[in-house]
Amino acid sequence: MNTKKTNAMRLLENAQIEYRMFEYPVDDGLIDAVSIARKIGENVEQVFKTLVTQSASREYFVFVVPANAELDLKKAAKAAGEKSVEMIHVSELPALTGYVRGGCSPIGMKKRFATFFDSGVERLGAVMVSAGKIGWQIELSPSALLEVTGGKTAPLTA
């Protein structure tokens, strides 16, 4: 296993939050959350993807939903207390978050944005999100993930 750490991993360690790290191959180019779940042998309902949006009032929000689900933008806007939100362009991701598509973690972004997790996360014993690098995932408890991100839960999927 690689001994280097990502920002997300360092933040978890500094907060003394336990996590497990998983590596998966990326040479096939399949880095979407459903493919990642298959590669690491985990249930798609436990592997979450991190999506970054911008509201009509120009605020940024982070939404984290299961790999096999689609973010409902109306529900997302309601959770954020906004009239509407839309996905940011993938080219904006690195400058805004410090992460790239396929390696965007809700933990350790350049700036802390209001973060919302699909309410189904509360029923899980463990959840997996990107470790902040393509090819790496981390698993931790939903309560720890909510704590470290300052996240809230809301119904976010269709």
Side-chain angles (χ1 to χ4, degrees), residues 1 8 12 23 27 29-30 41 46 49-50 68 74 80 101-102 113 117 120 125 127 130 135 137 139 146:
M1 176 160 328
L12 291 172
E23 286 187 74
D27 48 352
L30 299 174
Q46 278 188 271
K49 56 189 171 186
T50 304
N68 62 341
K74 287 183 180 179
R101 180 189 169 275
F113 300 108
F117 292 83
V127 63
S130 174
Q137 287 284 112
E139 178 186 71
L146 289 165

Side-chain angles (χ1 to χ4, degrees), residues 20 43 58 65 72 97 101 142 151:
R20 290 185 345 165
N43 189 326
R58 313 307 290 161
V65 298
D72 182 314
T97 67
R101 180 189 169 275

Side-chain angles (χ1 to χ4, degrees), residues 19 36 47 54 81 102 112 128:
Y19 69 91
I36 293 167
V47 177
Q54 188 174 34
R112 193 167 189 165
M128 299 186 80

Side-chain angles (χ1 to χ4, degrees), residues 33 44-45 47-51 63-72 116-118 128 154-157:
V44 290
E45 285 85 24
V47 177
F48 278 53
K49 56 189 171 186
T50 304
L51 306 169
F63 296 96
V64 190
V65 298
N68 62 341
E70 290 297 319
L71 177 65
D72 182 314
F116 299 88
F117 292 83
D118 185 67
M128 299 186 80
L156 298 175
T157 59

Side-chain angles (χ1 to χ4, degrees), residues 3-155:
T3 56
K4 290 189 177 186
K5 305 276 185 206
T6 64
N7 239 16
M9 295 160 75
R10 282 190 289 277
L11 278 169
L12 291 172
E13 289 174 8
N14 288 343
Q16 298 182 331
I17 293 174
E18 287 186 35
Y19 69 91
R20 290 185 345 165
M21 203 277 275
F22 294 81
E23 286 187 74
Y24 59 91
V26 298
D27 48 352
D28 59 6
L30 299 174
I31 58 171
D32 62 280
V34 172
S35 296
I36 293 167
R38 287 186 190 123
K39 289 179 182 187
I40 58 178
E42 292 294 328
N43 189 326
V44 290
E45 285 85 24
Q46 278 188 271
V47 177
F48 278 53
K49 56 189 171 186
T50 304
L51 306 169
V52 183
T53 66
Q54 188 174 34
S55 69
S57 65
R58 313 307 290 161
E59 292 289 321
Y60 292 101
F61 296 93
V62 176
F63 296 96
V64 190
V65 298
N68 62 341
E70 290 297 319
L71 177 65
D72 182 314
L73 293 175
K74 287 183 180 179
K75 289 180 180 178
K78 182 178 179 184
E82 294 284 335
K83 286 184 179 179
S84 66
V85 295
E86 60 183 45
M87 296 294 297
I88 66 165
H89 192 275
V90 69
S91 64
E92 297 175 67
L93 204 56
L96 186 65
T97 67
Y99 293 129
V100 297
R101 180 189 169 275
C104 187
S105 179
I107 306 164
M109 290 187 180
K110 282 183 173 183
K111 182 180 174 198
R112 193 167 189 165
F113 300 108
T115 303
F116 299 88
F117 292 83
D118 185 67
S119 51
V121 75
E122 297 169 311
R123 295 187 296 274
L124 300 172
V127 63
M128 299 186 80
V129 295
S130 174
K133 178 180 176 182
I134 295 172
W136 291 9
Q137 287 284 112
I138 47 178
E139 178 186 71
L140 65 163
S141 74
S143 60
L145 188 55
L146 289 165
E147 176 190 329
V148 76
T149 60
K152 296 177 180 157
T153 61

